[in-house]
Protein backbone atom coordinates (compact mmCIF):
# COMPACT_ATOMS: atom_id res chain seq x y z
CA UNK A 1 0.00 0.00 0.00
CA UNK A 2 1.31 3.47 -0.88
CA UNK A 3 2.39 5.62 2.05
CA UNK A 4 2.26 8.86 0.08
CA UNK A 5 1.16 11.76 2.26
CA UNK A 6 0.51 15.44 1.73
CA UNK A 7 1.68 17.61 4.62
CA UNK A 8 0.41 21.17 5.07
CA UNK A 9 2.05 23.97 7.04
CA UNK A 10 0.84 27.49 7.87
CA UNK A 11 1.44 30.38 10.24
CA UNK A 12 -0.56 33.43 9.13
CA UNK A 13 -4.38 33.49 8.92
CA UNK A 14 -4.51 33.88 5.13
CA UNK A 15 -1.96 31.10 4.75
CA UNK A 16 -4.01 28.92 7.08
CA UNK A 17 -7.23 29.48 5.15
CA UNK A 18 -5.85 28.51 1.76
CA UNK A 19 -3.85 25.51 2.98
CA UNK A 20 -6.69 24.33 5.23
CA UNK A 21 -9.13 24.44 2.30
CA UNK A 22 -6.86 22.35 0.08
CA UNK A 23 -6.12 19.91 2.91
CA UNK A 24 -9.86 19.51 3.49
CA UNK A 25 -10.44 18.87 -0.22
CA UNK A 26 -7.76 16.18 -0.43
CA UNK A 27 -9.00 14.53 2.75
CA UNK A 28 -12.54 14.40 1.30
CA UNK A 29 -11.04 12.62 -1.71
CA UNK A 30 -9.62 9.93 0.56
CA UNK A 31 -6.01 11.11 0.44
CA UNK A 32 -3.67 10.85 3.41
CA UNK A 33 -3.28 14.36 4.81
CA UNK A 34 -1.57 15.83 7.86
CA UNK A 35 -1.61 19.50 8.90
CA UNK A 36 0.80 21.47 11.09
CA UNK A 37 0.34 25.01 12.34
CA UNK A 38 1.86 27.76 14.42
CA UNK A 39 0.63 31.20 15.44
CA UNK A 40 -2.78 32.38 14.17
CA UNK A 41 -3.09 29.31 11.94
CA UNK A 42 -3.59 27.01 14.92
CA UNK A 43 -7.14 28.16 15.69
CA UNK A 44 -8.16 28.04 12.01
CA UNK A 45 -6.91 24.47 11.65
CA UNK A 46 -8.53 23.46 14.95
CA UNK A 47 -11.89 24.87 13.85
CA UNK A 48 -11.98 23.48 10.31
CA UNK A 49 -9.75 20.39 10.15
CA UNK A 50 -9.18 19.31 13.76
CA UNK A 51 -8.77 15.62 12.90
CA UNK A 52 -5.95 16.43 10.47
CA UNK A 53 -3.91 18.51 12.91
CA UNK A 54 -0.60 16.96 13.99
CA UNK A 55 2.34 18.20 16.04
CA UNK A 56 5.35 15.97 15.41
CA UNK A 57 6.95 16.43 11.99
CA UNK A 58 8.67 13.36 10.53
CA UNK A 59 9.33 13.55 6.78
CA UNK A 60 9.46 10.53 4.47
CA UNK A 61 10.79 10.39 0.89
CA UNK A 62 7.25 9.95 -0.49
CA UNK A 63 5.85 13.10 1.11
CA UNK A 64 4.48 16.11 -0.72
CA UNK A 65 4.98 19.23 1.41
CA UNK A 66 2.71 22.24 0.86
CA UNK A 67 3.36 25.48 2.73
CA UNK A 68 1.59 28.80 2.77
CA UNK A 69 3.23 32.21 3.04
CA UNK A 70 2.80 35.29 5.17
CA UNK A 71 2.68 39.00 4.49
CA UNK A 72 4.18 39.53 7.96
CA UNK A 73 7.03 37.08 7.78
CA UNK A 74 7.22 33.59 6.32
CA UNK A 75 10.02 32.26 8.54
CA UNK A 76 7.93 29.30 9.74
CA UNK A 77 6.73 28.26 6.29
CA UNK A 78 10.06 28.92 4.57
CA UNK A 79 11.87 27.13 7.39
CA UNK A 80 9.68 24.07 6.80
CA UNK A 81 10.33 24.35 3.05
CA UNK A 82 14.07 24.37 3.72
CA UNK A 83 13.82 21.29 5.94
CA UNK A 84 11.75 19.46 3.32
CA UNK A 85 14.14 20.33 0.50
CA UNK A 86 17.20 19.30 2.49
CA UNK A 87 15.53 16.05 3.53
CA UNK A 88 14.56 15.25 -0.05
CA UNK A 89 10.79 14.80 0.01
CA UNK A 90 9.06 13.86 -3.23
CA UNK A 91 7.64 17.34 -3.96
CA UNK A 92 7.52 20.81 -2.42
CA UNK A 93 4.79 23.35 -3.19
CA UNK A 94 4.18 26.90 -2.01
CA UNK A 95 0.55 28.01 -2.25
CA UNK A 96 -0.09 31.75 -2.17
CA UNK A 97 -3.18 33.20 -0.53
CA UNK A 98 -2.19 36.64 -1.82
CA UNK A 99 0.28 38.20 -4.24
CA UNK A 100 0.47 41.33 -2.10
CA UNK A 101 4.03 41.99 -0.85
CA UNK A 102 5.18 39.06 -2.96
CA UNK A 103 8.90 39.60 -2.38
CA UNK A 104 8.53 39.41 1.42
CA UNK A 105 6.81 36.02 1.16
CA UNK A 106 10.03 34.24 0.20
CA UNK A 107 12.21 35.50 3.05
CA UNK A 108 13.94 33.29 5.61
CA UNK A 109 15.85 34.76 8.57
CA UNK A 110 15.64 38.24 6.97
CA UNK A 111 17.30 37.02 3.75
CA UNK A 112 15.83 36.14 0.33
CA UNK A 113 15.34 32.41 -0.03
CA UNK A 114 18.31 30.69 -1.68
CA UNK A 115 17.58 29.41 -5.18
CA UNK A 116 18.46 25.85 -4.09
CA UNK A 117 15.55 26.03 -1.64
CA UNK A 118 12.93 27.24 -4.11
CA UNK A 119 9.83 25.03 -4.15
CA UNK A 120 9.19 22.70 -7.07
CA UNK A 121 5.93 24.56 -7.77
CA UNK A 122 4.20 27.79 -6.74
CA UNK A 123 0.41 27.75 -6.88
CA UNK A 124 -1.51 31.01 -7.00
CA UNK A 125 -5.02 32.13 -7.97
CA UNK A 126 -3.46 35.26 -9.50
CA UNK A 127 -0.27 35.61 -11.52
CA UNK A 128 1.95 38.19 -9.77
CA UNK A 129 3.71 40.82 -11.84
CA UNK A 130 6.81 40.79 -9.63
CA UNK A 131 7.59 37.12 -9.54
CA UNK A 132 10.13 36.85 -12.36
CA UNK A 133 12.53 35.04 -10.02
CA UNK A 134 10.06 32.19 -9.68
CA UNK A 135 8.18 32.53 -12.98
CA UNK A 136 8.96 29.06 -14.33
CA UNK A 137 7.52 27.49 -11.19
CA UNK A 138 4.19 29.34 -11.13
CA UNK A 139 0.93 27.52 -11.79
CA UNK A 140 -2.37 29.38 -11.74
CA UNK A 141 -5.08 27.52 -9.83
CA UNK A 142 -8.63 28.04 -8.69
CA UNK A 143 -8.61 29.57 -5.22
CA UNK A 144 -9.18 26.61 -2.87
CA UNK A 145 -10.42 28.85 -0.07
CA UNK A 146 -13.04 30.46 -2.31
CA UNK A 147 -14.16 26.95 -3.26
CA UNK A 148 -14.33 26.07 0.44
CA UNK A 149 -16.42 29.17 1.16
CA UNK A 150 -18.85 28.30 -1.63
CA UNK A 151 -19.20 24.61 -0.78
CA UNK A 152 -18.73 24.46 2.98
CA UNK A 153 -18.99 27.73 4.87
CA UNK A 154 -22.31 29.47 5.45
CA UNK A 155 -24.42 26.54 4.29
CA UNK A 156 -26.49 27.49 7.29
CA UNK A 157 -26.47 30.57 9.49
CA UNK A 158 -23.79 30.47 12.20
CA UNK A 159 -25.02 30.07 15.76
CA UNK A 160 -25.10 33.34 17.66
CA UNK A 161 -22.94 32.88 20.73
CA UNK A 162 -21.29 36.25 21.21
CA UNK A 163 -23.25 38.70 23.40
CA UNK A 164 -22.33 41.65 21.16
CA UNK A 165 -23.80 39.87 18.13
CA UNK A 166 -26.95 39.05 20.12
CA UNK A 167 -27.30 42.70 21.08
CA UNK A 168 -26.51 44.33 17.72
CA UNK A 169 -27.43 41.66 15.16
CA UNK A 170 -27.76 43.15 11.66
CA UNK A 171 -27.11 46.71 12.86
CA UNK A 172 -23.35 47.00 13.34
CA UNK A 173 -20.28 47.94 11.33
CA UNK A 174 -17.19 45.74 11.43
CA UNK A 175 -13.64 47.09 11.39
CA UNK A 176 -11.07 44.43 10.52
CA UNK A 177 -7.75 45.67 11.82
CA UNK A 178 -4.33 45.18 10.21
CA UNK A 179 -0.71 45.53 11.35
CA UNK A 180 0.38 48.15 8.82
CA UNK A 181 2.38 50.46 11.11
CA UNK A 182 4.43 47.68 12.66
CA UNK A 183 5.44 46.28 9.28
CA UNK A 184 5.67 49.25 6.95
CA UNK A 185 5.83 52.45 8.96
CA UNK A 186 4.66 55.27 6.67
CA UNK A 187 5.39 53.50 3.37
CA UNK A 188 1.74 53.53 2.30
CA UNK A 189 0.97 57.05 3.55
CA UNK A 190 -1.45 55.74 6.19
CA UNK A 191 -1.67 53.02 8.80
CA UNK A 192 -4.30 51.03 10.66
CA UNK A 193 -4.81 53.79 13.23
CA UNK A 194 -5.52 56.32 10.48
CA UNK A 195 -7.98 53.99 8.77
CA UNK A 196 -9.84 53.24 12.00
CA UNK A 197 -10.07 56.91 12.97
CA UNK A 198 -11.36 57.90 9.52
CA UNK A 199 -14.08 55.28 9.82
CA UNK A 200 -15.05 56.30 13.34
CA UNK A 201 -15.13 59.99 12.43
CA UNK A 202 -17.49 59.21 9.55
CA UNK A 203 -19.89 57.20 11.73
CA UNK A 204 -22.97 58.30 13.61
CA UNK A 205 -21.92 57.83 17.25
CA UNK A 206 -25.04 55.77 17.98
CA UNK A 207 -24.20 53.03 15.45
CA UNK A 208 -22.43 50.04 17.01
CA UNK A 209 -18.93 49.37 15.73
CA UNK A 210 -17.22 46.04 16.42
CA UNK A 211 -13.43 46.19 16.08
CA UNK A 212 -11.69 42.88 15.37
CA UNK A 213 -7.93 42.76 15.82
CA UNK A 214 -5.85 40.79 13.36
CA UNK A 215 -4.78 37.41 14.84
CA UNK A 216 -1.14 38.55 14.78
CA UNK A 217 -1.88 41.74 16.74
CA UNK A 218 -1.92 41.98 20.55
CA UNK A 219 -5.49 41.38 21.67
CA UNK A 220 -5.43 44.55 23.80
CA UNK A 221 -3.92 46.77 21.09
CA UNK A 222 -6.97 49.02 20.84
CA UNK A 223 -8.21 48.92 24.43
CA UNK A 224 -7.11 52.49 25.19
CA UNK A 225 -8.74 53.77 21.98
CA UNK A 226 -12.00 52.00 22.83
CA UNK A 227 -11.96 53.26 26.41
CA UNK A 228 -11.64 56.93 25.43
CA UNK A 229 -13.85 56.79 22.34
CA UNK A 230 -17.18 58.60 22.32
CA UNK A 231 -18.41 56.16 19.66
CA UNK A 232 -20.46 53.02 20.28
CA UNK A 233 -17.19 51.10 19.85
CA UNK A 234 -16.51 47.58 21.10
CA UNK A 235 -13.66 45.08 20.93
CA UNK A 236 -14.83 41.83 19.32
CA UNK A 237 -13.06 38.66 20.40
CA UNK A 238 -15.36 35.96 19.08
CA UNK A 239 -15.81 33.83 15.98
CA UNK A 240 -14.97 35.66 12.74
CA UNK A 241 -17.69 33.99 10.65
CA UNK A 242 -20.36 34.84 13.19
CA UNK A 243 -19.11 38.45 13.12
CA UNK A 244 -19.22 38.77 9.35
CA UNK A 245 -22.49 36.91 8.80
CA UNK A 246 -24.57 39.20 11.01
CA UNK A 247 -22.82 42.49 10.10
CA UNK A 248 -24.45 45.30 8.18
CA UNK A 249 -21.20 46.71 6.73
CA UNK A 250 -17.63 45.39 6.77
CA UNK A 251 -14.57 47.65 6.59
CA UNK A 252 -10.82 47.14 6.84
CA UNK A 253 -7.71 47.49 4.71
CA UNK A 254 -6.42 44.24 3.23
CA UNK A 255 -8.00 41.45 5.23
CA UNK A 256 -8.49 38.00 3.72
CA UNK A 257 -11.85 38.03 5.53
CA UNK A 258 -13.09 40.29 2.73
CA UNK A 259 -13.41 37.08 0.70
CA UNK A 260 -16.15 35.91 3.07
CA UNK A 261 -17.91 39.26 3.30
CA UNK A 262 -17.98 39.66 -0.49
CA UNK A 263 -19.32 36.12 -0.85
CA UNK A 264 -22.11 37.02 1.59
CA UNK A 265 -22.78 40.17 -0.47
CA UNK A 266 -22.13 42.38 2.53
CA UNK A 267 -21.26 46.00 1.71
CA UNK A 268 -17.49 45.76 2.12
CA UNK A 269 -14.91 48.53 1.85
CA UNK A 270 -11.15 48.85 2.08
CA UNK A 271 -10.45 52.26 3.62
CA UNK A 272 -7.14 53.63 2.32
CA UNK A 273 -7.53 57.37 2.77
CA UNK A 274 -4.20 59.18 2.45
CA UNK A 275 -2.57 56.28 0.64
CA UNK A 276 0.32 56.82 -1.76
CA UNK A 277 0.28 53.16 -2.81
CA UNK A 278 -2.63 50.75 -3.01
CA UNK A 279 -2.50 48.09 -0.31
CA UNK A 280 -4.91 45.41 -1.44
CA UNK A 281 -5.28 42.59 -3.95
CA UNK A 282 -8.67 41.24 -2.88
CA UNK A 283 -11.11 44.10 -3.29
CA UNK A 284 -12.51 45.37 -6.60
CA UNK A 285 -11.37 48.94 -7.20
CA UNK A 286 -14.91 50.26 -6.62
CA UNK A 287 -14.81 48.90 -3.07
CA UNK A 288 -11.69 50.88 -2.12
CA UNK A 289 -12.28 54.27 -0.51
CA UNK A 290 -9.61 56.97 -0.78
CA UNK A 291 -11.66 60.04 0.17
CA UNK A 292 -13.25 61.13 3.47
CA UNK A 293 -16.36 62.56 1.79
CA UNK A 294 -16.97 59.34 -0.12
CA UNK A 295 -16.52 57.36 3.10
CA UNK A 296 -19.06 59.52 4.91
CA UNK A 297 -21.56 59.26 2.06
CA UNK A 298 -21.14 55.48 1.78
CA UNK A 299 -21.66 54.89 5.49
CA UNK A 300 -24.56 57.30 5.68
CA UNK A 301 -26.25 55.49 2.78
CA UNK A 302 -25.90 52.05 4.32
CA UNK A 303 -26.94 53.08 7.81
CA UNK A 304 -29.73 55.50 6.99
CA UNK A 305 -33.09 54.68 8.54
CA UNK A 306 -35.43 52.89 6.15
CA UNK A 307 -38.85 54.46 5.95
Amino acid sequence: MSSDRTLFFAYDAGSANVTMAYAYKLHQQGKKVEAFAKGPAIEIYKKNIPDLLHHKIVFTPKDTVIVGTSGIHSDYEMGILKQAKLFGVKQTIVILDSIDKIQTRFILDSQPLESSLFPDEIWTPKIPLLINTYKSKVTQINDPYLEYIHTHLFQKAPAINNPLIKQFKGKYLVILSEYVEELFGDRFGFNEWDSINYILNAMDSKIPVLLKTHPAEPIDKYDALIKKSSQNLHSYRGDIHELIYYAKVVTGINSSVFQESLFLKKPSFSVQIGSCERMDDIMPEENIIYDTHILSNVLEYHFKEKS
Side-chain angles (χ1 to χ4, degrees), residues 10 68 134 146 172 238 273:
Y134 320 104
L146 281 180
Y172 59 88
I273 296 167

Side-chain angles (χ1 to χ4, degrees), residues 8-20 36 38 40-41 44-45 65-81 92-108 113 117-119 121-126 128 131 134 138 179 183 214 216 254 256 281:
F8 291 86
F9 299 85
Y11 177 89
D12 202 9
S15 169
N17 283 334
V18 71
T19 52
M20 172 279 298
F36 303 83
K38 281 194 173 182
I44 293 172
Y45 277 17
V65 171
I66 300 181
V67 304
T69 63
S70 171
I72 316 173
H73 57 76
S74 295
D75 278 354
Y76 173 64
E77 293 96 335
M78 294 301 105
I80 293 293
L81 177 62
T92 55
I93 298 169
V94 167
I95 184 167
L96 301 176
D97 65 286
S98 170
I99 58 173
D100 187 42
K101 304 182 288 291
I102 187 66
Q103 303 294 4
T104 68
R105 294 177 180 271
F106 292 89
I107 297 289
L108 177 61
L113 194 67
L117 301 178
F118 286 176
E121 297 182 22
I122 299 172
W123 294 354
T124 172
K126 301 177 182 178
I131 202 167
Y134 320 104
V138 173
Y179 37 86
L183 284 178
H214 186 278
N254 189 31
S256 60
D281 68 345

Side-chain angles (χ1 to χ4, degrees), residues 137-189:
K137 299 178 179 292
V138 173
T139 299
Q140 190 166 10
I141 62 168
N142 293 328
D143 189 326
Y145 188 53
L146 281 180
E147 291 180 0
Y148 185 81
I149 292 171
H150 281 257
T151 59
H152 189 73
L153 288 181
F154 307 121
Q155 295 301 302
K156 60 180 181 178
I160 299 178
N161 298 309
N162 189 280
L164 290 171
I165 306 296
K166 290 179 181 178
Q167 183 179 358
F168 301 127
K169 176 184 173 184
K171 299 177 181 178
Y172 59 88
L173 176 137
V174 171
I175 300 178
L176 301 168
S177 178
E178 299 282 344
Y179 37 86
V180 180
E181 184 178 45
E182 292 95 324
L183 284 178
F184 305 109
D186 60 359
R187 170 185 157 185
F188 289 94

